Amino acid sequence: MSTPDAPWSILGIAPTADGAAIRRAYAAKLKLTRPEDDRAGFEHLRAAYELALQWARQQVAAVRAPAPVSATTPTHGTVNETKASAADPTNVVDVERENVRRAFGELHAQLKSERGDSPEASRALAKILESPALENVSAEQWVERQLAGLLASFIPASDSLLESAAARFSWARPEAELDRTPPIEVILSRLNDLHFLDTLRSGESPYSAAFRGLQRRKIPLYSWMMAHISKAGVPGEYELLQLIRLHHRSLLPLLEPTAVAWWDRLAGRPQVSFPIILLGLAFAALSVIPGVAIGEPNAVLVSVGNIAAVFTGLALWKLYLLDWPRHLLRTKLPVPPVLVLLGWFPASIAVVLLALIPAWSFVSWILAVLAACATQWAWIVGWNGAPGSLQNVLTMPVFRVLIYNFVAGMWWLSAAGKMPPVPQLHAPVLCALAGSALGLPMAIAVWEQRLTSPQRWIWLFATSIVAIVAVAVLWFLADREAWRPVAAALVIVALLMHRHIAAMLGKRQQELRFGWMVTFFIGLIVVTVQSEQMTPQFDVVLTGFGSLLASTVLLCALMAMWNERQG
Amino acid sequence: MILGIDLGTTNSAAGVWRNGRAELIPNSLGHLLTPSAVSIDDDGKILVGLAARDRQVTHPERTATAFKRYMGTSRSLSLGQTRYYPEELSAFVLRSLKADAEHYLGETITDAVITVPAYFNDKQRKATKRAGELAGLRVERLLNEPTAAALAYGIHETGRETRFLVFDLGGGTFDVSVLDIFDGVIEVRASTGDNRLGGEDFNEVLIRMMLESCRQQWHLPDTPRSELLYQRVRAEAERARRLLSSEEQTTMSISWNDKHAEHLVSTEQFERAAETLLQRLRVPVVRALKDGGIDASQLDSIVLVGGATRMPIVRRAVTRMFGRFPDSRLNPDEAVALGAAVQAGLKQRDAALNEIVLTDVCPYTLGIEISEVVAGVGLRGGLFAPLIERNTIVPASRSKQFSTLTDGQTFVHVNVYQGEARQVSDNVKLGELKVPVPPRRAGEVNIDCRFSYDVSGLLEIDVHVPLTDERHQLVILDDEDGTQREEVQQRRERLAALKIHPRDQDANRVALSRAARCFEESLGERRELVGRWMSQFEAVLERQDPREIEMARNAFMKALDGVDGEVFL
């Protein structure tokens, strides 16, 4: 059937627009190629026949141009049944048909007047749907077509009309899905949207808070911080926006346009936007406070370095350290877990290098700063806490900010040579601290998700143990060069276990955060231990730590309060 | 000679094309219909037909009816100690029909055309074919029931152009077909149905009514649950339903455990109770018209087929639906078997049918499961990609190209589904095929899927991987073909070992089964009377004089008519 005249040669006639002639030719040929005897021949003949008929229809349509659709009369054919007696069902129905037609006119007028959900409209619709005339199949089909067209072109303000029509003709039946007409699709999608809107408004949906957020204007900096720090985070607004765009387009006008635009700007990757810079600055400043407080001149240098590293670190980390398998494959689809695991290696190697290079060398200094910033960035982009109560807002972010800043402060102090030589006695305390730094956030995550599987708890416990052992080994063996690779290997094991747990918990972002935190924490201890110029200034550490804690708690409390007031 | 067989849910029939016309074959009792019932005798012999149907009431645990509903499933029914698959039970019925035909025609029958509901899926069709094989018949073709009925009707209409609708409400299935006849071509335009709707469901309405009435009259807290009572009510409901075809009202009465209950049911009452069932009749009709591209007003006639269309409430519903009276030229019980006989004639290349060609459609959409990449969401799986759209003229083959979704993908799972929903989870899974592909980037490997659907409604799937030029084939459910063939052989042997009740004693057996049922169903004097007749008849049987037996049996049957009304089929 490669040439246009092929169907005609198979049918054995000259091209014609006469359907009857085509049918005759088909019938004649069919007796020679019976479907049961000559399967291939029949399939060819049938294809030719359908092609020819289609061609003929097009010709006829072209000649007659827009043929008038006689859709206004649900009554045809049956009228010529002349035996009109009392028992003749055709007779009774005629009156009813007239009623249906009138009700249609009324419904049309109501819908057109933009008071679509008036009681008159519902009454008119009920009259149509309940009419005995619909018992006639052809009348029913006509009504169904007309009604779908009418309702789809004048979507009423309330959904009760759509609902009753959809229920009457069972439009939503899944087995009829493939042959819904466009108007029916419109109506069903509208009903679906309205149903979704109801759940959003009633607060039944997990997206309810996000929906309210999307209806508000965005205040750039504040909203950005809120998006990352407070409960209006990602399984909230942006996800909801995507959902609405994909499946509930008719709800888009209900959203605040600036909020939509704001999310669109934010969703691009990587985001080195003004708010990010500001937040980075804020964090850098926080980690510098203790240094400034004790009047250390190096503090300024460190904070500058820290800020610079925020920008380098975020781009490097986000784009290349973790995502390189994806970039290599040039795909936007989720990459297999094995490759994600591979993505960890450059990051792990960086940490190992950090541990192996002697303290106070320039490279070590830079690497430590990078690690600090990467942690910072991991925290920033990785935040996707679930929307929750004030309590959640207060506990989770505070805890994370605290850990991070503690780590950053410790690093700064050690870099500035202010780190005290911790006596051997304190080693167990430090190990326990490292273990809980790892284990506690995980424990909270598990508790938050109400995970009860004992296996998960065992894994959690095991990771903490490995982390504690890793820190202990590092602690005791830090001055013996030969043992450092072992210590580094332990660090990597701890990381991989983290990865595994995070995968079990189904939260990759959390794994990023804590993985990096542990990485950095252990690296920091190595650097600290290796530093030989440590002088005992324990009170300085305490001051710095105390001020960090106070400022962080204050910041989070302020944010939470602000958020509550806005909500 | 090819036998045309209507293997129904309640009744079966067989016919042949002879001397230029379709002709039905009477069974050993002289009836054209044989109830699709199988029972196992106390001495281990198999009973088929009327005798077995009566035993449904007296020996429900040794009797099976309506097993067509389970065709193609692994559900087995127990007759006494042994369990049988639906296809084995169907094979018994087929074997009995074959024996009747051989006796009537005086020649051995090896080939058959068997009808199936249009809505039977591949599994059910395969099971029907296997049933034929078990009965020692080569199944030349499976024919859709409404198409068969249309053939029986259309064979007289080939002279003119006409369009009609076949409304086939059988015992367990409901099929609607829209047909077009022109120049000797009988073309099925569309076929749809509901394979869970039939006369049995209408019976169920009356059964529920009666059981409820029993509960009230016997002051029970709950509707009584007993298999024996249920079967008896069922028989009573069946009779009431038939009586309601001719009368305005009738009484259902039940005696059980020395208790008696009666329920007066009128046509209106029945119609109201069956309202939801009647509503369900509309859906396939509307869809068939829509698919066939024919408006209800363009139809020249509405042909009613299937025993259940005898019910006046169904006829009234049809009349209201189309605003006209249906055509009742055909005997609704016999049309399908007659059509099967016509098809047998076509198969035999009978000269009288030279100018007639039948084309049928595939009544459901066939396709495979796919996943799609949706912008912003990622992968969306479990979607249905149709290859052969429903109501495509068969035989048909269609092919479509699909490609891999993930990098380095080494296998493509081709899951085959039947149905109309967009999500495959709402459709029926027919089979699956695992196709190895060379690992490449996503989208770089294409596979061509080809579906071929033959006139009997059996599906074949070819998958071609152009990159490696490998071809894989899946004949639905035939992946276990090897074991299955062995199993068929084994089962055939097992069935052959079973003794079938001697054909020439069928009539006596029927009389005794019926009497046993009457005995259980009646009370008091009447019961005694039936018992006496039974012993008299048994005494005659002992004497083994055929002429005397026949006379005694006729008298016996007539007497029983007085007890429970005339035998219905």
Side-chain angles (χ1 to χ4, degrees):
Chain A
M1 247 138 297
S2 47
T3 53
D5 59 309
W8 306 113
S9 66
I10 289 175
L11 289 170
I13 50 169
T16 170
D18 177 8
I22 296 173
R23 266 156 83 100
R24 265 198 306 280
Y26 166 70
K29 288 277 175 198
L30 191 58
K31 282 158 200 158
L32 305 173
T33 44
R34 286 171 182 264
E36 290 165 48
D37 307 334
D38 181 4
R39 185 173 170 162
F42 171 74
E43 282 182 30
H44 268 101
L45 176 64
R46 183 74 202 179
Y49 172 57
E50 279 172 13
L51 220 64
L53 273 185
Q54 196 187 340
W55 188 84
R57 266 197 299 274
Q58 279 164 4
Q59 297 303 306
V60 172
V63 172
R64 268 200 253 144
V69 188
S70 63
T72 44
T73 51
T75 53
H76 26 42
T78 52
V79 187
N80 57 19
E81 292 251 357
T82 42
K83 39 181 176 178
S85 64
D88 185 353
T90 57
N91 204 20
V92 189
V93 165
D94 274 347
V95 185
E96 278 301 326
R97 284 189 178 156
E98 201 44 51
N99 288 342
V100 169
R101 249 202 301 272
R102 222 172 294 131
F104 250 113
E106 208 171 299
L107 182 65
H108 186 231
Q110 287 293 336
L111 289 174
K112 227 169 152 183
S113 69
E114 288 174 21
R115 289 177 291 118
D117 38 348
S118 65
E120 287 84 4
S122 333
R123 231 177 351 238
L125 182 70
K127 213 184 280 170
I128 296 171
L129 295 182
E130 283 156 22
S131 163
L134 259 59
E135 293 207 333
N136 183 295
V137 171
S138 108
E140 186 189 6
Q141 280 177 296
W142 179 84
V143 166
E144 183 179 351
R145 269 198 308 274
Q146 295 297 307
L147 200 60
L150 186 65
L151 289 174
S153 46
F154 300 99
I155 289 280
S158 98
D159 45 349
S160 68
L161 294 184
L162 297 181
E163 236 159 34
S164 46
R168 170 62 179 79
F169 297 107
S170 18
W171 283 332
R173 260 183 317 133
E175 66 268 24
E177 205 172 328
L178 290 177
D179 46 40
R180 281 175 197 153
T181 59
I184 294 177
E185 287 286 359
V186 168
I187 290 171
L188 284 181
S189 83
R190 173 71 186 166
L191 271 177
N192 187 18
D193 292 354
L194 289 170
H195 181 72
F196 186 62
L197 183 64
D198 280 346
T199 61
L200 284 179
R201 285 197 171 140
S202 66
E204 282 165 27
S205 158
Y207 291 113
S208 294
F211 182 64
R212 281 194 298 276
L214 279 175
Q215 286 180 306
R216 276 198 299 270
R217 273 185 66 82
K218 293 286 171 204
I219 307 155
L221 176 58
Y222 160 71
S223 302
W224 190 87
M225 288 195 290
M226 280 299 127
H228 289 297
I229 294 155
S230 81
K231 58 186 177 183
V234 169
E237 298 191 14
Y238 190 63
E239 215 174 288
L240 176 65
L241 182 61
Q242 292 291 82
L243 206 67
I244 289 180
R245 283 222 170 103
L246 271 174
H247 301 298
H248 308 282
R249 285 201 76 84
S250 74
L251 300 184
L252 266 181
L254 291 176
L255 305 180
E256 164 70 34
T258 59
V260 172
W262 186 81
W263 274 112
D264 283 342
R265 264 206 316 281
L266 194 78
R269 200 181 53 144
Q271 309 142 18
V272 190
S273 61
F274 179 65
I276 294 185
I277 297 168
L278 275 184
L279 200 78
L281 276 173
F283 281 123
L286 264 178
S287 53
V288 167
I289 289 172
V292 176
I294 56 170
E296 175 54 52
N298 273 355
V300 183
L301 186 68
V302 171
S303 66
V304 170
N306 209 346
I307 293 162
V310 168
F311 307 121
T312 345
L314 63 88
L316 266 179
W317 182 82
K318 182 66 188 156
L319 284 178
Y320 297 104
L321 278 183
L322 260 146
D323 276 359
W324 64 268
R326 190 176 298 182
H327 288 284
L328 208 65
L329 293 171
R330 292 200 200 94
T331 167
K332 285 198 166 138
L333 295 174
V335 288
V338 178
L339 290 183
V340 175
L341 205 65
L342 274 180
W344 272 98
F345 280 107
S348 310
I349 289 164
V351 174
V352 174
L353 280 179
L354 181 69
L356 292 178
I357 291 167
W360 286 118
S361 89
F362 183 69
V363 183
S364 166
W365 196 84
I366 295 287
L367 279 174
V369 173
L370 279 182
C373 298
T375 312
Q376 210 160 331
W377 175 242
W379 185 79
I380 292 169
V381 296
W383 165 251
N384 70 344
S389 62
L390 174 68
Q391 200 188 351
N392 271 354
V393 176
L394 273 176
T395 52
M396 291 307 289
V398 166
F399 192 78
R400 285 166 197 163
V401 169
L402 198 107
I403 297 260
Y404 161 69
N405 280 314
F406 172 65
V407 166
M410 292 270 275
W411 171 79
W412 177 80
L413 286 169
S414 82
K418 294 286 162 75
M419 190 68 184
V422 186
Q424 292 284 314
L425 237 171
H426 291 169
V429 180
L430 202 58
C431 292
L433 195 66
S436 55
L438 191 64
L440 200 59
M442 273 299 197
I444 290 176
V446 170
W447 177 77
E448 267 189 338
Q449 293 177 28
R450 301 278 189 275
L451 298 177
T452 48
S453 154
Q455 212 185 353
R456 294 186 173 174
W457 285 101
I458 290 167
W459 268 104
L460 195 70
F461 190 64
T463 326
S464 298
I465 297 286
V466 170
I468 291 169
V469 170
V471 171
V473 169
L474 278 170
W475 183 262
F476 289 114
L477 303 177
D479 53 339
R480 286 178 224 172
E481 297 272 335
W483 283 88
R484 281 187 196 155
V486 177
L490 271 170
V491 172
I492 292 173
V493 168
L495 274 174
L496 291 180
M497 285 180 77
H498 246 295
R499 154 82 215 154
H500 182 81
I501 291 206
M504 281 202 314
L505 292 175
K507 278 205 165 180
R508 207 171 127 244
Q509 301 294 357
Q510 227 152 20
E511 156 233 12
L512 298 186
R513 274 198 301 282
F514 296 123
W516 273 102
M517 220 177 282
V518 175
T519 312
F520 179 73
F521 193 78
I522 293 169
L524 161 90
I525 290 167
V526 173
V527 173
T528 310
V529 169
Q530 282 174 340
S531 166
E532 297 192 353
Q533 300 167 352
M534 295 181 292
T535 46
Q537 284 193 7
F538 207 65
D539 53 332
V540 174
V541 181
L542 280 180
T543 320
F545 185 65
S547 61
L548 267 177
L549 191 111
S551 58
T552 313
V553 171
L554 194 68
L555 179 73
C556 289
L558 273 174
M559 280 176 171
M561 275 163 63
W562 192 358
N563 194 33
E564 281 296 299
R565 212 190 58 205
Q566 293 279 319
Chain B
M1 190 159 278
I2 305 174
L3 191 62
I5 299 176
D6 166 17
L7 184 61
T9 309
T10 29
N11 291 312
S12 297
V16 284
W17 182 264
R18 225 170 38 158
N19 310 328
R21 56 184 220 80
E23 182 181 350
L24 290 190
I25 291 168
N27 62 17
S28 56
L29 308 171
H31 299 151
L32 293 180
L33 300 184
T34 304
S36 306
V38 177
S39 182
I40 200 153
D41 208 345
D42 301 320
D43 46 359
K45 281 185 190 149
I46 296 283
L47 286 171
V48 174
L50 201 56
R53 195 186 70 187
D54 277 336
R55 282 170 64 85
Q56 173 80 50
V57 176
T58 52
H59 301 83
E61 74 293 337
R62 303 180 72 90
T63 310
T65 54
F67 37 81
K68 187 179 172 186
R69 289 195 157 187
Y70 310 118
M71 264 323 221
T73 66
S74 53
R75 179 167 168 169
S76 59
L77 297 148
S78 63
L79 292 190
Q81 302 304 315
T82 352
R83 297 192 72 80
Y84 292 94
Y85 287 107
E87 58 249 49
E88 293 176 296
L89 296 169
S90 303
F92 288 130
V93 177
L94 290 174
R95 209 148 86 172
S96 135
L97 292 173
K98 180 177 172 234
D100 290 336
E102 282 172 350
H103 178 82
Y104 181 71
L105 300 168
E107 59 176 284
T108 333
I109 304 272
T110 50
D111 302 310
V113 170
I114 302 182
T115 62
V116 288
Y119 239 63
F120 255 23
N121 65 32
D122 213 81
K123 288 181 193 179
Q124 294 163 307
R125 283 169 198 261
K126 284 259 161 65
T128 308
K129 207 164 175 177
R130 270 203 302 279
E133 282 164 20
L134 287 173
L137 287 167
R138 210 162 63 82
V139 181
E140 282 280 340
R141 178 174 173 170
L142 296 174
L143 185 65
N144 291 335
E145 277 163 17
T147 309
L151 258 181
Y153 174 84
I155 207 78
H156 309 294
E157 301 281 335
T158 47
R160 61 189 185 108
E161 284 209 6
T162 175
R163 285 163 170 185
F164 60 101
L165 181 139
V166 179
F167 187 99
D168 176 3
L169 186 64
T173 53
F174 176 43
D175 286 312
V176 179
S177 286
V178 176
L179 289 102
D180 197 354
I181 295 184
F182 57 93
D183 297 331
V185 178
I186 303 178
E187 182 177 301
V188 180
R189 294 282 286 259
S191 227
T192 57
D194 183 339
N195 53 1
R196 292 267 173 277
L197 179 61
E200 305 275 341
D201 295 290
F202 286 87
N203 278 352
E204 198 64 36
V205 168
L206 288 174
I207 291 173
R208 272 201 304 270
M209 227 183 237
M210 186 66 220
L211 283 176
E212 175 60 23
S213 176
C214 287
R215 186 184 71 77
Q216 282 171 6
Q217 290 178 33
W218 298 340
H219 309 290
L220 298 174
D222 233 332
T223 39
R225 265 179 219 170
S226 145
E227 182 61 21
L228 217 63
L229 173 72
Y230 181 84
Q231 291 302 344
R232 211 166 302 159
V233 173
R234 192 174 114 132
E236 189 64 23
E238 173 93 26
R239 188 162 36 242
R241 179 166 73 88
R242 280 161 202 276
L243 277 174
L244 282 175
S245 302
S246 50
E247 284 157 38
E248 271 306 298
Q249 59 180 47
T250 180
T251 311
M252 291 190 278
S253 62
I254 281 293
S255 309
W256 186 62
N257 284 357
D258 299 327
K259 282 181 283 186
H260 187 78
E262 277 190 1
H263 184 80
L264 184 78
V265 55
S266 67
T267 319
E268 283 100 80
Q269 221 178 336
F270 184 31
E271 190 163 8
R272 257 200 315 281
E275 180 59 34
T276 42
L277 294 179
L278 293 174
Q279 275 304 320
R280 271 169 70 192
L281 293 174
R282 296 179 68 87
V283 181
V285 168
V286 170
R287 195 148 133 191
L289 288 170
K290 215 189 260 178
D291 284 354
I294 290 178
D295 196 277
S297 58
Q298 293 172 313
L299 293 170
D300 293 312
S301 56
I302 318 293
V303 181
L304 296 187
V305 184
T309 57
R310 284 187 196 279
M311 281 187 278
I313 60 167
V314 171
R315 284 180 176 256
R316 260 206 297 282
V318 173
T319 311
R320 277 202 306 269
M321 252 185 247
F322 295 97
R324 77 175 86 168
F325 295 104
D327 186 295
S328 41
R329 237 175 301 167
L330 286 180
N331 181 333
D333 291 318
E334 294 165 4
V336 173
L338 282 173
V342 176
Q343 177 62 42
L346 280 168
K347 208 71 211 177
Q348 290 164 31
R349 288 329 204 52
D350 194 283
L353 297 170
N354 245 351
E355 283 306 298
I356 292 186
V357 186
L358 167 76
T359 64
D360 205 346
V361 296
C362 159
Y364 30 72
T365 303
L366 296 162
I368 66 167
E369 176 182 1
I370 55 157
S371 297
E372 268 180 5
V373 183
V374 180
V377 167
L379 269 183
R380 205 148 77 105
L383 298 178
F384 185 52
L387 269 105
I388 295 186
E389 299 275 359
R390 77 163 182 263
N391 293 321
T392 302
I393 297 260
V394 295
S397 26
R398 297 280 186 276
S399 97
K400 241 185 199 173
Q401 198 167 63
F402 301 93
S403 57
T404 53
L405 258 183
T406 51
D407 294 317
Q409 195 172 333
T410 51
F411 279 100
V412 176
H413 287 272
V414 179
N415 290 330
V416 183
Y417 284 87
Q418 159 197 321
E420 312 304 325
R422 182 147 172 69
Q423 299 286 334
V424 287
S425 50
D426 295 326
N427 294 332
V428 180
K429 186 166 177 176
L430 297 179
E432 59 183 54
L433 183 63
K434 197 172 166 189
V435 180
V437 292
R440 292 281 191 283
R441 284 211 183 140
E444 280 184 8
V445 185
N446 290 328
I447 61 163
D448 290 319
C449 259
R450 185 171 198 84
F451 275 38
S452 312
Y453 194 84
D454 76 1
V455 283
S456 287
L458 302 174
L459 179 65
E460 240 176 70
I461 293 141
D462 286 291
V463 179
H464 177 220
V465 185
L467 212 61
T468 55
D469 205 32
E470 277 180 65
R471 281 173 197 282
H472 302 268
Q473 210 176 50
L474 171 76
V475 182
I476 287 293
L477 289 183
D478 271 14
D479 39 357
E480 330 113 276
D481 205 28
T483 56
Q484 219 158 48
R485 207 168 296 147
E486 255 171 50
E487 215 186 303
V488 167
Q489 190 56 39
Q490 271 178 12
R491 278 199 267 164
R492 189 180 299 167
E493 279 161 17
R494 190 178 115 194
L495 296 198
L498 282 167
K499 282 191 213 76
I500 305 281
H501 203 82
R503 198 175 173 285
D504 52 2
Q505 285 176 33
D506 269 0
N508 303 338
R509 201 50 241 214
V510 166
L512 279 176
S513 300
R514 185 178 175 205
R517 177 172 56 75
C518 289
F519 185 82
E520 290 211 6
E521 282 175 2
S522 33
L523 282 175
E525 267 176 52
R526 216 172 229 200
R527 187 177 238 186
E528 266 170 47
L529 195 63
V530 174
R532 216 172 313 128
W533 290 339
M534 274 172 89
S535 3
Q536 277 170 8
F537 185 56
E538 270 159 0
V540 174
L541 282 179
E542 300 260 307
R543 268 174 268 153
Q544 298 195 334
D545 177 356
R547 272 192 45 208
E548 193 189 357
I549 289 177
E550 199 183 327
M551 272 165 60
R553 188 177 64 225
N554 289 343
F556 187 30
M557 288 300 259
K558 204 162 256 164
L560 287 175
D561 282 351
V563 174
D564 76 336
E566 259 186 80
V567 177
F568 58 84
L569 271 176

